[in-house]
Coordinates of all heavy atoms in Angstrom, one line a residue:
M1 N 0.8 -1.2 0.0 CA 0.0 0.0 0.0 C 0.9 1.2 0.0 O 1.9 1.3 0.6 CB -0.9 0.0 1.2 CG -2.0 1.0 1.2 SD -3.3 0.4 2.3 CE -3.4 1.8 3.4
N2 N 0.5 2.3 -0.7 CA 1.3 3.5 -0.8 C 1.1 4.5 0.4 O 1.8 5.5 0.4 CB 0.9 4.2 -2.1 CG 1.4 3.4 -3.3 OD1 2.3 2.7 -3.2 ND2 0.7 3.6 -4.4
A3 N 0.2 4.2 1.3 CA -0.1 5.2 2.4 C 1.1 5.1 3.3 O 1.7 4.1 3.6 CB -1.3 4.8 3.1
P4 N 1.5 6.3 3.9 CA 2.6 6.3 4.9 C 2.2 5.6 6.2 O 1.0 5.4 6.4 CB 2.7 7.8 5.2 CG 1.8 8.6 4.3 CD 0.9 7.6 3.6
D5 N 3.2 5.2 7.0 CA 2.9 4.6 8.2 C 2.1 5.5 9.1 O 2.2 6.7 9.1 CB 4.2 4.2 8.9 CG 4.9 3.1 8.2 OD1 4.3 2.3 7.5 OD2 6.2 3.1 8.2
R6 N 1.2 4.9 10.0 CA 0.3 5.7 10.9 C 1.1 6.6 11.9 O 0.7 7.7 12.2 CB -0.6 4.8 11.6 CG -1.7 4.2 10.7 CD -2.6 3.4 11.5 NE -3.6 2.8 10.6 CZ -4.9 2.9 10.7 NH1 -5.4 3.6 11.7 NH2 -5.6 2.3 9.8
Y7 N 2.2 6.1 12.4 CA 3.0 6.9 13.4 C 3.5 8.2 12.8 O 3.7 9.2 13.5 CB 4.1 6.1 14.0 CG 5.3 5.9 13.1 CD1 6.3 6.8 13.0 CD2 5.4 4.8 12.2 CE1 7.4 6.7 12.2 CE2 6.5 4.6 11.4 CZ 7.5 5.6 11.4 OH 8.5 5.4 10.6
E8 N 3.6 8.3 11.4 CA 4.1 9.5 10.8 C 3.2 10.7 11.0 O 3.5 11.8 10.8 CB 4.4 9.2 9.3 CG 5.6 8.4 9.1 CD 5.9 8.2 7.6 OE1 5.4 9.0 6.8 OE2 6.7 7.3 7.3
R9 N 1.9 10.4 11.3 CA 0.9 11.5 11.5 C 1.2 12.2 12.8 O 0.7 13.3 12.9 CB -0.5 10.9 11.6 CG -0.9 10.3 10.3 CD -2.3 9.8 10.4 NE -2.8 9.1 9.2 CZ -3.9 8.5 9.1 NH1 -4.8 8.5 10.1 NH2 -4.2 7.8 8.0
F10 N 1.9 11.6 13.7 CA 2.0 12.2 15.1 C 3.4 12.5 15.5 O 3.6 13.4 16.3 CB 1.3 11.2 16.1 CG -0.1 10.8 15.7 CD1 -0.3 9.6 15.3 CD2 -1.1 11.7 15.8 CE1 -1.6 9.2 14.9 CE2 -2.4 11.4 15.4 CZ -2.6 10.1 15.0
V11 N 4.3 11.7 15.1 CA 5.7 11.9 15.6 C 6.4 12.9 14.7 O 6.5 12.7 13.5 CB 6.5 10.5 15.5 CG1 7.9 10.7 16.0 CG2 5.7 9.5 16.4
V12 N 7.0 13.9 15.4 CA 7.7 15.0 14.6 C 9.1 14.5 14.4 O 9.8 14.1 15.4 CB 7.7 16.3 15.5 CG1 8.5 17.4 14.7 CG2 6.3 16.8 15.7
P13 N 9.6 14.4 13.2 CA 11.0 13.9 12.9 C 12.0 14.8 13.6 O 11.8 16.0 13.9 CB 11.1 14.1 11.4 CG 9.7 14.2 10.9 CD 8.9 14.8 12.0
E14 N 13.1 14.2 13.9 CA 14.3 14.9 14.6 C 14.7 16.0 13.6 O 14.8 15.8 12.4 CB 15.4 13.9 14.8 CG 15.2 13.1 16.1 CD 16.5 12.4 16.4 OE1 17.6 12.9 16.3 OE2 16.4 11.2 16.8
G15 N 15.0 17.1 14.2 CA 15.5 18.3 13.5 C 14.4 19.1 12.9 O 14.7 20.1 12.3
T16 N 13.1 18.7 13.1 CA 12.0 19.5 12.6 C 11.3 20.2 13.7 O 11.1 19.6 14.8 CB 11.0 18.6 11.9 OG1 11.6 17.8 10.9 CG2 9.8 19.4 11.3
K17 N 11.1 21.5 13.6 CA 10.4 22.2 14.6 C 8.9 22.0 14.6 O 8.3 21.8 13.5 CB 10.6 23.7 14.4 CG 12.0 24.2 14.7 CD 12.1 25.7 14.6 CE 13.5 26.2 14.9 NZ 13.6 27.6 14.8
K18 N 8.2 21.9 15.7 CA 6.8 21.7 15.8 C 6.0 22.9 15.2 O 5.1 22.7 14.5 CB 6.4 21.4 17.2 CG 4.9 21.2 17.5 CD 4.4 19.9 17.0 CE 3.0 19.7 17.4 NZ 2.4 18.5 16.9
V19 N 6.5 24.1 15.5 CA 5.9 25.3 15.0 C 6.9 26.2 14.4 O 8.0 26.4 15.0 CB 5.2 26.1 16.2 CG1 4.5 27.3 15.7 CG2 4.1 25.2 16.8
S20 N 6.7 26.7 13.2 CA 7.5 27.7 12.6 C 6.7 28.9 12.2 O 5.5 28.8 12.0 CB 8.3 27.1 11.4 OG 7.3 26.7 10.4
Y21 N 7.4 30.0 12.1 CA 6.7 31.3 11.9 C 7.3 32.0 10.7 O 8.5 32.0 10.5 CB 7.0 32.1 13.1 CG 6.7 33.6 13.0 CD1 5.4 34.1 13.2 CD2 7.7 34.5 12.8 CE1 5.1 35.4 13.1 CE2 7.4 35.9 12.8 CZ 6.1 36.3 12.9 OH 5.8 37.6 12.9
E22 N 6.4 32.5 9.8 CA 6.9 33.2 8.6 C 6.1 34.5 8.5 O 4.9 34.5 8.4 CB 6.8 32.4 7.3 CG 7.3 33.1 6.1 CD 7.2 32.2 4.9 OE1 7.0 31.0 5.0 OE2 7.2 32.8 3.8
R23 N 6.8 35.6 8.5 CA 6.1 36.9 8.5 C 5.7 37.2 7.0 O 6.4 36.9 6.1 CB 7.1 38.0 9.0 CG 6.4 39.2 9.4 CD 7.4 40.1 10.1 NE 6.6 41.3 10.4 CZ 6.9 42.1 11.4 NH1 8.0 41.9 12.1 NH2 6.2 43.1 11.6
D24 N 4.5 37.8 6.9 CA 4.1 38.2 5.5 C 4.7 39.5 5.1 O 4.7 40.5 5.8 CB 2.5 38.3 5.5 CG 2.0 38.4 4.1 OD1 2.7 38.8 3.2 OD2 0.8 38.0 4.0
T25 N 5.3 39.5 3.9 CA 6.0 40.7 3.4 C 5.0 41.7 2.7 O 5.4 42.8 2.5 CB 7.1 40.3 2.5 OG1 6.6 39.6 1.4 CG2 8.2 39.5 3.2
K26 N 3.8 41.2 2.3 CA 2.9 42.1 1.6 C 1.9 42.8 2.5 O 1.4 43.8 2.1 CB 2.2 41.3 0.5 CG 3.1 40.7 -0.5 CD 2.4 39.9 -1.6 CE 3.4 39.3 -2.6 NZ 2.7 38.5 -3.5
I27 N 1.5 42.1 3.6 CA 0.5 42.7 4.5 C 1.1 43.0 5.8 O 1.7 42.1 6.4 CB -0.7 41.6 4.6 CG1 -1.3 41.3 3.3 CG2 -1.7 42.2 5.6 CD1 -2.3 40.2 3.3
I28 N 0.8 44.2 6.3 CA 1.4 44.6 7.6 C 0.6 43.8 8.7 O -0.6 43.6 8.6 CB 1.2 46.1 7.8 CG1 2.0 46.9 6.8 CG2 1.6 46.5 9.2 CD1 1.7 48.4 6.8
N29 N 1.4 43.4 9.7 CA 0.8 42.7 10.9 C 0.2 41.4 10.5 O -0.8 41.0 11.1 CB -0.2 43.6 11.7 CG 0.5 44.7 12.3 OD1 1.7 44.8 12.5 ND2 -0.3 45.7 12.8
A30 N 0.7 40.7 9.6 CA 0.2 39.3 9.2 C 1.4 38.3 9.2 O 2.5 38.7 8.9 CB -0.4 39.4 7.8
A31 N 1.0 37.1 9.5 CA 2.0 36.0 9.5 C 1.3 34.7 9.3 O 0.1 34.5 9.4 CB 2.7 36.0 10.8
T32 N 2.2 33.7 8.9 CA 1.7 32.3 8.7 C 2.5 31.4 9.6 O 3.7 31.5 9.6 CB 1.9 31.9 7.3 OG1 1.1 32.8 6.4 CG2 1.4 30.5 7.1
F33 N 1.8 30.7 10.4 CA 2.4 29.7 11.3 C 2.2 28.3 10.7 O 1.1 28.0 10.3 CB 1.8 29.7 12.7 CG 2.0 31.0 13.5 CD1 1.1 32.1 13.3 CD2 3.1 31.1 14.3 CE1 1.3 33.2 14.0 CE2 3.3 32.3 15.0 CZ 2.4 33.4 14.8
T34 N 3.3 27.5 10.6 CA 3.2 26.2 10.2 C 3.3 25.3 11.4 O 4.3 25.3 12.1 CB 4.4 25.9 9.2 OG1 4.3 26.8 8.1 CG2 4.3 24.4 8.6
I35 N 2.3 24.4 11.6 CA 2.3 23.5 12.7 C 2.4 22.1 12.2 O 1.5 21.6 11.5 CB 1.1 23.7 13.6 CG1 0.9 25.2 14.0 CG2 1.1 22.8 14.8 CD1 -0.3 25.5 14.7
E36 N 3.5 21.4 12.5 CA 3.7 20.1 12.0 C 2.9 19.0 12.8 O 2.7 19.2 14.0 CB 5.2 19.7 12.1 CG 6.1 20.6 11.3 CD 6.0 20.3 9.8 OE1 5.6 19.2 9.4 OE2 6.3 21.2 9.0
R37 N 2.5 18.0 12.1 CA 1.9 16.8 12.6 C 0.5 17.2 13.3 O 0.2 16.6 14.4 CB 2.8 16.1 13.6 CG 4.1 15.6 13.0 CD 3.8 14.7 11.7 NE 5.0 14.1 11.3 CZ 5.6 14.4 10.1 NH1 5.1 15.3 9.4 NH2 6.6 13.7 9.7
E38 N -0.2 18.1 12.7 CA -1.6 18.4 13.3 C -2.6 18.4 12.1 O -2.2 18.4 10.9 CB -1.6 19.8 14.0 CG -0.7 19.8 15.2 CD -1.2 18.9 16.3 OE1 -2.3 18.4 16.3 OE2 -0.4 18.7 17.3
D39 N -3.8 18.5 12.4 CA -4.9 18.4 11.4 C -6.0 19.4 11.7 O -5.8 20.4 12.4 CB -5.4 17.0 11.3 CG -6.0 16.4 12.6 OD1 -6.1 17.2 13.6 OD2 -6.3 15.2 12.7
H40 N -7.2 19.1 11.2 CA -8.3 20.0 11.3 C -8.7 20.3 12.8 O -9.2 21.3 13.1 CB -9.6 19.5 10.6 CG -9.5 19.5 9.1 ND1 -9.5 20.7 8.4 CD2 -9.3 18.6 8.2 CE1 -9.4 20.5 7.1 NE2 -9.3 19.2 7.0
T41 N -8.5 19.3 13.6 CA -8.9 19.5 15.0 C -8.2 20.7 15.7 O -8.9 21.6 16.2 CB -8.6 18.2 15.9 OG1 -9.2 17.1 15.2 CG2 -9.1 18.3 17.3
I42 N -6.9 20.7 15.6 CA -6.2 21.9 16.2 C -6.4 23.1 15.4 O -6.5 24.2 15.9 CB -4.7 21.5 16.3 CG1 -4.5 20.4 17.3 CG2 -3.9 22.7 16.8 CD1 -4.9 20.7 18.7
G43 N -6.4 23.0 14.1 CA -6.6 24.2 13.2 C -7.9 24.9 13.5 O -7.9 26.1 13.6
N44 N -9.0 24.2 13.6 CA -10.3 24.8 13.9 C -10.3 25.4 15.3 O -10.9 26.5 15.5 CB -11.4 23.8 13.7 CG -12.7 24.5 13.5 OD1 -12.8 25.6 12.9 ND2 -13.8 23.9 13.9
I45 N -9.8 24.7 16.3 CA -9.7 25.3 17.6 C -8.9 26.6 17.7 O -9.4 27.6 18.3 CB -9.1 24.2 18.6 CG1 -10.1 23.1 18.8 CG2 -8.8 24.9 20.0 CD1 -9.5 21.9 19.5
L46 N -7.8 26.6 17.0 CA -7.0 27.8 17.0 C -7.7 29.0 16.3 O -7.7 30.1 16.8 CB -5.6 27.6 16.3 CG -4.6 26.9 17.1 CD1 -3.4 26.5 16.2 CD2 -4.1 27.8 18.2
R47 N -8.3 28.7 15.2 CA -9.0 29.7 14.4 C -10.2 30.3 15.3 O -10.3 31.5 15.3 CB -9.6 29.1 13.1 CG -10.3 30.1 12.3 CD -10.9 29.4 11.0 NE -11.9 28.4 11.4 CZ -13.2 28.7 11.7 NH1 -13.6 29.9 11.6 NH2 -14.1 27.7 12.0
M48 N -10.9 29.4 15.9 CA -12.1 29.9 16.7 C -11.6 30.8 17.9 O -12.2 31.8 18.2 CB -12.9 28.8 17.2 CG -13.7 28.0 16.1 SD -14.8 29.1 15.2 CE -16.0 29.4 16.4
Q49 N -10.5 30.4 18.6 CA -10.0 31.1 19.7 C -9.4 32.5 19.2 O -9.5 33.5 19.9 CB -9.0 30.3 20.5 CG -9.6 29.2 21.3 CD -10.6 29.7 22.3 OE1 -10.3 30.6 23.0 NE2 -11.7 29.0 22.4
L50 N -8.7 32.5 18.1 CA -8.2 33.7 17.6 C -9.3 34.7 17.2 O -9.1 35.9 17.4 CB -7.3 33.4 16.4 CG -5.9 32.8 16.7 CD1 -5.3 32.3 15.4 CD2 -5.0 33.8 17.4
H51 N -10.4 34.2 16.7 CA -11.5 35.1 16.3 C -12.1 35.7 17.6 O -12.8 36.8 17.5 CB -12.6 34.3 15.6 CG -12.3 34.1 14.1 ND1 -12.3 35.2 13.3 CD2 -12.1 33.0 13.4 CE1 -12.0 34.7 12.1 NE2 -11.8 33.4 12.1
R52 N -12.0 35.2 18.7 CA -12.5 35.8 20.0 C -11.7 37.0 20.4 O -12.2 37.8 21.2 CB -12.5 34.7 21.1 CG -13.5 33.7 20.9 CD -13.5 32.7 22.1 NE -14.6 31.8 21.9 CZ -14.9 30.9 22.9 NH1 -14.3 31.0 24.0 NH2 -15.9 30.1 22.7
D53 N -10.4 37.1 19.9 CA -9.6 38.2 20.3 C -10.0 39.4 19.5 O -10.0 39.4 18.2 CB -8.1 37.8 20.1 CG -7.1 38.9 20.6 OD1 -7.5 40.0 20.8 OD2 -6.0 38.5 20.9
E54 N -10.2 40.6 20.1 CA -10.6 41.8 19.4 C -9.5 42.4 18.6 O -9.8 43.2 17.7 CB -11.2 42.8 20.4 CG -10.1 43.2 21.4 CD -10.7 44.1 22.5 OE1 -11.9 43.9 22.8 OE2 -10.0 45.0 23.0
N55 N -8.3 42.0 18.8 CA -7.2 42.6 18.0 C -6.9 41.8 16.7 O -6.1 42.2 15.9 CB -5.9 42.6 18.8 CG -6.0 43.6 20.0 OD1 -6.6 44.6 19.8 ND2 -5.5 43.2 21.1
V56 N -7.6 40.7 16.5 CA -7.4 39.8 15.3 C -8.3 40.2 14.2 O -9.6 40.2 14.4 CB -7.6 38.3 15.7 CG1 -7.5 37.5 14.4 CG2 -6.5 37.9 16.7
L57 N -7.8 40.6 13.1 CA -8.6 41.0 11.9 C -9.0 39.8 11.1 O -10.1 39.7 10.7 CB -7.8 42.0 11.1 CG -8.4 42.5 9.8 CD1 -9.6 43.3 10.1 CD2 -7.4 43.3 9.0
F58 N -8.1 38.8 10.9 CA -8.3 37.6 10.2 C -7.6 36.5 10.8 O -6.4 36.6 11.3 CB -7.8 37.8 8.7 CG -7.9 36.5 7.9 CD1 -9.1 36.1 7.3 CD2 -6.8 35.7 7.8 CE1 -9.1 35.0 6.6 CE2 -6.8 34.6 7.0 CZ -8.0 34.2 6.5
A59 N -8.2 35.3 10.8 CA -7.6 34.1 11.3 C -8.2 32.9 10.5 O -9.4 32.8 10.4 CB -7.8 33.8 12.8
G60 N -7.3 32.1 9.9 CA -7.8 31.0 9.1 C -6.7 29.9 9.0 O -5.5 30.2 9.4
Y61 N -7.0 28.7 8.6 CA -6.1 27.7 8.5 C -6.4 26.8 7.3 O -7.5 26.9 6.7 CB -6.0 26.8 9.7 CG -7.2 25.8 9.8 CD1 -7.0 24.5 9.4 CD2 -8.4 26.2 10.3 CE1 -8.1 23.6 9.4 CE2 -9.5 25.3 10.3 CZ -9.3 24.0 9.9 OH -10.3 23.1 9.9
K62 N -5.4 26.1 6.8 CA -5.6 25.1 5.7 C -4.6 24.0 5.9 O -3.6 24.1 6.5 CB -5.5 25.8 4.4 CG -4.1 26.2 4.0 CD -4.0 26.8 2.6 CE -2.6 27.2 2.2 NZ -2.5 27.6 0.8
L63 N -5.0 22.9 5.3 CA -4.1 21.7 5.2 C -3.7 21.7 3.7 O -4.5 21.6 2.8 CB -4.9 20.4 5.4 CG -4.9 19.9 6.9 CD1 -5.8 20.7 7.7 CD2 -5.3 18.4 6.9
P64 N -2.4 21.8 3.5 CA -1.9 21.9 2.1 C -2.2 20.7 1.3 O -2.6 20.8 0.1 CB -0.4 22.0 2.2 CG -0.1 22.4 3.6 CD -1.3 22.0 4.4
H65 N -2.2 19.5 1.9 CA -2.5 18.3 1.2 C -2.8 17.2 2.2 O -2.3 17.2 3.3 CB -1.2 17.8 0.4 CG -1.5 16.7 -0.6 ND1 -1.4 15.4 -0.2 CD2 -1.8 16.7 -1.9 CE1 -1.7 14.6 -1.2 NE2 -1.9 15.4 -2.3
P66 N -3.8 16.3 1.9 CA -4.2 15.3 2.8 C -3.1 14.3 3.3 O -3.1 13.8 4.4 CB -5.2 14.5 2.1 CG -5.7 15.3 1.0 CD -4.6 16.2 0.7
L67 N -2.0 14.2 2.5 CA -0.9 13.3 2.9 C 0.2 14.1 3.6 O 1.2 13.5 3.9 CB -0.4 12.5 1.7 CG -1.4 11.5 1.2 CD1 -0.9 10.7 0.0 CD2 -1.9 10.5 2.3
Q68 N 0.1 15.4 3.7 CA 1.1 16.2 4.4 C 0.5 16.5 5.7 O -0.5 17.1 5.8 CB 1.4 17.5 3.7 CG 2.2 17.3 2.4 CD 2.4 18.7 1.7 OE1 1.9 19.7 2.1 NE2 3.3 18.7 0.7
Y69 N 1.2 16.1 6.8 CA 0.6 16.2 8.1 C 1.1 17.5 8.8 O 1.9 17.5 9.6 CB 1.1 15.0 9.0 CG 0.6 13.7 8.3 CD1 1.6 12.8 7.9 CD2 -0.7 13.4 8.1 CE1 1.2 11.6 7.3 CE2 -1.1 12.3 7.5 CZ -0.2 11.3 7.1 OH -0.6 10.2 6.5
K70 N 0.5 18.6 8.3 CA 0.8 19.9 8.8 C -0.4 20.8 8.5 O -1.1 20.6 7.5 CB 2.1 20.5 8.3 CG 2.1 20.8 6.8 CD 3.4 21.4 6.4 CE 3.5 21.6 4.9 NZ 4.8 22.1 4.5
I71 N -0.5 21.9 9.2 CA -1.5 22.9 8.9 C -0.8 24.3 8.9 O 0.3 24.5 9.5 CB -2.6 23.0 10.0 CG1 -2.1 23.3 11.4 CG2 -3.5 21.7 10.0 CD1 -3.2 23.5 12.4
L72 N -1.4 25.1 8.1 CA -0.9 26.5 7.9 C -1.9 27.4 8.5 O -3.1 27.4 8.1 CB -0.6 26.9 6.5 CG 0.3 26.0 5.7 CD1 0.3 26.4 4.2 CD2 1.7 26.0 6.3
V73 N -1.5 28.1 9.6 CA -2.5 29.1 10.3 C -2.1 30.5 9.9 O -0.9 30.9 10.2 CB -2.4 28.9 11.8 CG1 -3.4 29.8 12.5 CG2 -2.8 27.4 12.2
R74 N -3.0 31.2 9.3 CA -2.7 32.6 8.9 C -3.4 33.5 9.8 O -4.6 33.4 10.1 CB -3.2 32.8 7.5 CG -2.9 34.2 7.0 CD -2.5 34.1 5.6 NE -2.4 35.4 5.1 CZ -1.3 35.9 4.5 NH1 -0.3 35.1 4.3 NH2 -1.3 37.1 4.1
V75 N -2.7 34.5 10.4 CA -3.2 35.5 11.3 C -2.9 36.9 10.9 O -1.7 37.2 10.5 CB -2.7 35.2 12.7 CG1 -3.2 36.2 13.7 CG2 -2.9 33.8 13.2
S76 N -3.8 37.8 10.9 CA -3.6 39.2 10.7 C -4.2 40.0 11.8 O -5.4 39.8 12.2 CB -4.3 39.6 9.3 OG -4.1 40.9 9.1
L77 N -3.5 41.0 12.3 CA -3.9 41.8 13.4 C -4.3 43.2 12.9 O -3.8 43.7 11.9 CB -2.8 41.9 14.5 CG -2.3 40.6 15.0 CD1 -1.1 40.8 16.0 CD2 -3.4 39.9 15.8
F78 N -5.2 43.9 13.7 CA -5.5 45.3 13.4 C -4.2 46.1 13.5 O -3.4 45.9 14.4 CB -6.5 45.8 14.4 CG -7.9 45.4 14.0 CD1 -8.6 44.6 14.8 CD2 -8.5 45.9 12.9 CE1 -9.9 44.2 14.5 CE2 -9.8 45.5 12.5 CZ -10.5 44.7 13.4
F79 N -4.0 47.1 12.6 CA -2.9 48.0 12.7 C -3.3 49.1 13.6 O -4.2 49.9 13.3 CB -2.5 48.4 11.3 CG -1.3 49.4 11.3 CD1 -0.1 48.9 11.6 CD2 -1.5 50.7 11.1 CE1 1.0 49.7 11.7 CE2 -0.4 51.6 11.1 CZ 0.9 51.1 11.4
V80 N -2.5 49.3 14.6 CA -2.7 50.5 15.5 C -1.5 51.3 15.5 O -0.4 50.9 15.8 CB -2.9 50.0 17.0 CG1 -3.1 51.1 17.9 CG2 -4.1 49.0 17.1
G81 N -1.7 52.5 15.0 CA -0.5 53.3 14.9 C -0.7 54.8 14.6 O -1.5 55.5 14.5

């Protein structure tokens, strides 16, 4: 079978960070967090909790591919200045 082993969904490989952060260069106060070895469960919880914060303008997540075990969480904050 071509499916990856089940443990690969949960175990973070050595040398890989659980969470990485990339700042958006086009939108002020926006960033994308990559969370390894997570799925819709954590993505939806994070999105809903971020929407409760009054400083958050946008919060969303996506799974790039069903066989890639990571989520991308995008957050944009109100600009106060």
Side-chain angles (χ1 to χ4, degrees):
M1 193 156 119
N2 291 334
D5 293 328
R6 289 182 183 236
Y7 74 89
E8 290 184 16
R9 294 182 186 177
F10 308 107
V11 179
V12 179
E14 280 189 42
T16 303
K17 292 183 178 182
K18 178 72 173 176
V19 178
S20 61
Y21 166 83
E22 184 178 340
R23 200 170 180 158
D24 194 334
T25 57
K26 296 180 182 177
I27 301 172
I28 298 173
N29 291 345
T32 302
F33 295 87
T34 302
I35 306 174
E36 295 289 337
R37 302 304 191 250
E38 295 296 346
D39 59 5
H40 288 289
T41 305
I42 295 297
N44 200 31
I45 291 170
L46 279 173
R47 183 183 63 84
M48 293 300 293
Q49 289 299 318
L50 285 167
H51 279 294
R52 290 181 176 191
D53 188 337
E54 60 188 30
N55 294 321
V56 175
L57 178 65
F58 173 81
Y61 78 95
K62 70 176 181 176
L63 269 74
H65 190 274
L67 294 178
Q68 290 181 347
Y69 304 117
K70 66 180 177 181
I71 58 172
L72 304 174
V73 179
R74 180 142 176 125
V75 181
S76 180
L77 303 174
F78 280 113
F79 180 72
V80 179

